[in-house]
Amino acid sequence: MERDGRLADKREILWKRAGMIRAIRDFFTGREYLEVETPLLIPALIPETYIDAVACGDSFLHTSPELHMKRLLTAGHPKIFQICKCFRAGERGSNHLPEFTMLEWYCRGMDYRRLMEECEELIVSVAADLGSGDVINYQGGAIELQRPWETISVREAFASYAPMSMDKAVTENCFDEIMVSSIEPRLGFTQPTFIYDYPASGSALAKEKKDEPVLAERFELYMGGKEIANACSELTDPEEHHRRFLNVNRHRHSAGKSIYPIPEHFLQDVARMPHAAGIALGVDRLAMIFCDLPAIDDVVSFVPEFL
Amino acid sequence: MKKGLRIKIDNEPYIVTEFNFVKPGKGQALYRSKLRNMITGAQFERTFRSVDTFEPADLEKKKMQYLYQEQGKYCFMDNESYEQVFLTEDQVGEAKNFLIDNLEVEILFFEDNALEVSVPNFVDLVVIRADPWAKGDSVSGKTKPVTLQTGYQIQVPPFVEEGEKIRVDTRSGEYLTRVKD
């Protein structure tokens, strides 16, 4: 009964969440993006060092719709978006669920700089539809949506907020630790923040920067200290893809993790993939921001512990 | 690893007071935690990787008797060996509200260091200050504040009077019932 009570208490939040998803759809359909659905159950996925898939029979539940959306892009659908469930084994915390809702969109001919602008336009448009106006009040702070938003490179962020430089953190194998303890808690509080140009070593399928190949053309959007979206200019070279996949599997093997089959059809298609930028945005986390709630549990109807 | 776990770092016992799964974009799973040194009370934050391992802190519980408090030090005695140990006000924490002379308690030790005291779930305490029962206060659900012999202030039903003994649930800190000696 207590659980039913909790579900009933979520009425207002679930309405707001549904309104937010409707506003996202309106934004993309208004810009002539095609809404697509790709399979959740897939025989091979894009191997990532730190993302563990849920195995399901001989296949996997997808960890993101990236692979098949890129195949659609290659097949000649230049502007596509999808809102779907993704599954990642073992991810559970106040910002993580092992089953969560993702928004992904891809646009042919775009680079990651232009994608930042579209990301701003999306969230401003959703805020307007929800009646939030130019300011989102989140957990006692006020996030101003007036554009343009703050941009800071990863290297600058380390120089400003961290006890060591980005390059040193990479060499000393403590990049992630510094990111969560010194940098993330400083991002996106007075306005949303784009943090960009990540070390190429940790950016699975992002294109390297021409003038500085140790960096990848990748950005993340933060609001209220939370990672909301991850985006990049997409890598299109099939040999580079293959090399990175093998590398990921080597890392996984040496960390005692399962290795993944190589997605062959994807590798064949990617050679013909047009230049494009793509972005994945956590719908649950965006709902946390719009509903002014501190935990992901607060914005979904069910959490795994109560199934 | 979880909240409340007691682990040993550099040969000292720590309790995990906060624990959260985090994963920076495309990065590895990390656990941001807050730890409290169980001897010094010092708190600090630490980020662990999922592959890190810990040694549990080897802790031992002993039955002891509460004797007295002097200048912020609380004295307890082992009834068999007559050995005495002291805890600071910080280490005693909320339990200080329920410590009455000769109360039998459990003291948690790490090697020879006393760390914490746990009091029984139910303790009987005397009301030393209460406003008299005014007519009209008996409306159901109404309570009044009284002061107990330990200085602890608690909400009780209006019929409880000065000098009476009441039973308190030490886990919630709430009134349970009146006790007749």
Side-chain angles (χ1 to χ4, degrees), chain A residues 15-23 123-133 286-287 290-291:
Chain A
W15 272 99
K16 194 155 190 182
R17 179 188 167 105
M20 187 187 89
I21 291 173
R22 194 160 46 240
I123 287 169
V124 167
S125 156
V126 171
D129 282 9
L130 291 176
S132 305
L286 191 62
F290 277 114
C291 296

Side-chain angles (χ1 to χ4, degrees), chain A residues 48 50 90-92 94 96 173 176-177 180-181 184 202 218 220 227 230, chain B residues 20-32 45 47-49 51:
Chain A
E48 295 227 27
Y50 299 120
E91 302 199 357
R92 183 69 176 107
S94 57
H96 289 85
N173 187 22
D176 291 337
E177 276 87 350
V180 297
S181 57
E184 288 189 333
R218 172 177 154 222
E220 301 249 2
E227 179 198 351
N230 171 56
Chain B
N20 197 12
F21 173 92
V22 292
K23 203 160 181 263
K26 300 272 168 196
Q28 60 194 304
L30 297 170
Y31 301 89
R32 288 201 80 188
E45 281 190 18
T47 304
F48 295 101
R49 295 187 176 190
V51 291

Side-chain angles (χ1 to χ4, degrees), chain B:
Chain B
M1 196 167 177
K2 59 178 191 227
K3 214 167 144 173
L5 192 74
R6 287 145 170 158
I7 59 174
K8 190 156 96 176
I9 302 173
D10 299 333
N11 227 17
E12 295 205 337
Y14 288 82
I15 183 163
V16 179
T17 54
E18 259 178 61
F19 185 67
N20 197 12
F21 173 92
V22 292
K23 203 160 181 263
K26 300 272 168 196
Q28 60 194 304
L30 297 170
Y31 301 89
R32 288 201 80 188
S33 52
K34 281 195 185 146
L35 301 169
R36 195 181 71 232
N37 185 310
M38 296 177 76
I39 299 172
T40 65
Q43 299 230 33
F44 71 99
E45 281 190 18
R46 188 148 161 187
T47 304
F48 295 101
R49 295 187 176 190
S50 50
V51 291
D52 291 343
T53 53
F54 319 93
E55 215 180 314
D58 235 337
L59 301 171
E60 188 196 357
K61 273 186 176 171
K62 263 192 214 168
K63 276 203 189 317
M64 299 186 92
Q65 199 177 28
Y66 171 62
L67 292 185
Y68 61 89
Q69 183 255 122
E70 201 175 67
Q71 290 167 347
K73 290 272 186 196
Y74 291 74
C75 181
F76 301 87
M77 182 178 71
D78 184 324
N79 278 338
E80 283 165 19
S81 65
Y82 302 109
E83 172 206 10
Q84 292 186 10
V85 297
F86 292 89
L87 289 181
T88 64
E89 188 152 356
D90 271 356
Q91 287 172 317
V92 170
E94 296 289 299
K96 75 166 187 228
N97 296 326
F98 313 109
L99 286 177
I100 47 172
D101 293 355
N102 306 321
L103 184 71
E104 192 162 282
V105 297
E106 276 185 340
I107 302 283
L108 191 69
F109 282 86
F110 173 75
E111 289 160 6
D112 290 332
N113 292 297
L115 303 175
E116 284 178 8
V117 54
S118 16
V119 293
N121 291 344
F122 307 107
V123 175
D124 297 345
L125 296 151
V126 178
V127 176
I128 57 160
R129 206 160 46 246
D131 292 335
W133 181 15
K135 281 232 163 74
D137 276 354
S138 56
V139 184
S140 73
K142 216 164 178 188
T143 59
K144 65 176 182 184
V146 299
T147 306
L148 305 182
Q149 65 188 114
T150 55
Y152 182 51
Q153 291 211 349
I154 186 171
Q155 292 291 327
V156 300
F159 53 75
V160 174
E161 291 178 34
E162 215 166 279
E164 284 190 296
K165 200 178 252 189
I166 62 167
R167 185 158 297 163
V168 178
D169 185 329
T170 61
R171 294 161 296 184
S172 62
E174 282 167 12
Y175 167 88
L176 282 177
T177 177
R178 274 192 294 189
V179 189
K180 300 258 182 274
D181 271 327

Side-chain angles (χ1 to χ4, degrees), chain A residues 17 20 94-96 136-139 226 228 282-299:
Chain A
R17 179 188 167 105
M20 187 187 89
S94 57
N95 293 314
H96 289 85
I136 300 177
N137 293 309
Y138 186 67
Q139 301 295 295
K226 272 179 225 317
I228 301 293
V283 170
D284 310 292
R285 292 197 197 155
L286 191 62
M288 290 162 71
I289 300 288
F290 277 114
C291 296
D292 189 15
L293 289 166
I296 199 164
D297 302 36
D298 301 331
V299 298

Side-chain angles (χ1 to χ4, degrees), chain A:
Chain A
M1 282 318 282
E2 193 200 340
R3 280 171 201 166
D4 289 350
R6 243 184 318 217
L7 270 178
D9 288 345
K10 285 185 172 171
R11 185 172 293 125
E12 203 182 314
I13 298 156
L14 294 178
W15 272 99
K16 194 155 190 182
R17 179 188 167 105
M20 187 187 89
I21 291 173
R22 194 160 46 240
I24 293 172
R25 280 212 163 85
D26 288 347
F27 176 84
F28 286 107
T29 14
R31 295 190 168 205
E32 296 180 332
Y33 272 83
L34 171 68
E35 179 165 11
V36 298
E37 290 175 287
T38 58
L40 304 188
L41 190 61
I42 57 178
L45 33 80
I46 290 171
E48 295 227 27
T49 313
Y50 299 120
I51 297 181
D52 296 326
V54 176
C56 188
D58 295 339
S59 299
F60 301 97
L61 293 174
H62 75 174
T63 57
S64 94
E66 179 171 8
L67 189 156
H68 291 94
M69 288 188 77
K70 285 182 174 171
R71 291 184 66 190
L72 281 170
L73 193 66
T74 308
H77 302 284
K79 293 171 86 175
I80 48 178
F81 81 101
Q82 173 161 216
I83 298 170
C84 63
K85 286 295 187 76
C86 296
F87 303 85
R88 295 181 181 183
E91 302 199 357
R92 183 69 176 107
S94 57
N95 293 314
H96 289 85
L97 286 169
E99 173 180 346
F100 61 101
T101 304
M102 185 98 103
L103 159 68
E104 276 205 28
W105 78 94
Y106 289 83
C107 184
R108 185 169 75 194
M110 215 183 241
D111 68 6
Y112 75 137
R113 287 288 182 169
R114 172 68 194 100
L115 190 50
M116 284 183 201
E117 289 170 24
E118 192 160 56
C119 200
E120 290 177 355
E121 288 153 11
L122 166 71
I123 287 169
V124 167
S125 156
V126 171
D129 282 9
L130 291 176
S132 305
D134 291 342
V135 180
I136 300 177
N137 293 309
Y138 186 67
Q139 301 295 295
I143 308 173
E144 304 261 356
L145 296 184
Q146 216 93 32
R147 300 174 58 202
W149 296 348
E150 182 194 17
T151 56
I152 185 170
S153 72
V154 177
R155 190 169 272 151
E156 287 162 0
F158 270 78
S160 309
Y161 307 134
M164 66 174 81
S165 73
M166 178 189 87
D167 301 272
K168 194 162 181 224
V170 171
T171 324
E172 297 197 355
N173 187 22
C174 57
F175 182 88
D176 291 337
E177 276 87 350
I178 292 182
M179 207 63 204
V180 297
S181 57
S182 307
I183 297 182
E184 288 189 333
R186 310 292 286 271
L187 303 178
F189 285 93
T190 52
Q191 56 177 166
T193 302
F194 290 111
I195 175 166
Y196 64 95
D197 288 355
Y198 277 73
S201 51
S203 308
L205 297 189
K207 199 181 196 167
E208 290 163 352
K209 267 177 95 79
K210 263 207 194 90
D211 51 351
E212 209 183 348
V214 296
L215 298 179
E217 290 198 355
R218 172 177 154 222
F219 74 79
E220 301 249 2
L221 168 65
Y222 278 81
M223 292 173 82
K226 272 179 225 317
E227 179 198 351
I228 301 293
N230 171 56
C232 60
S233 305
E234 300 295 349
L235 183 71
T236 50
D237 175 355
E239 276 162 35
E240 176 64 15
H241 268 97
H242 195 231
R243 199 181 60 77
R244 289 195 195 181
F245 289 171
L246 294 178
N247 213 8
V248 164
N249 270 340
R250 253 195 300 278
H251 267 115
R252 292 188 62 89
H253 182 69
S254 63
K257 291 181 166 195
S258 58
I259 59 168
Y260 291 123
I262 300 295
E264 299 292 347
H265 292 294
F266 171 75
L267 282 180
Q268 286 159 23
D269 284 0
V270 85
R272 290 177 289 117
M273 190 168 97
H275 287 289
I279 178 164
L281 183 150
V283 170
D284 310 292
R285 292 197 197 155
L286 191 62
M288 290 162 71
I289 300 288
F290 277 114
C291 296
D292 189 15
L293 289 166
I296 199 164
D297 302 36
D298 301 331
V299 298
V300 293
S301 45
F302 294 94
V303 292
E305 292 78 9
F306 292 126
L307 295 181

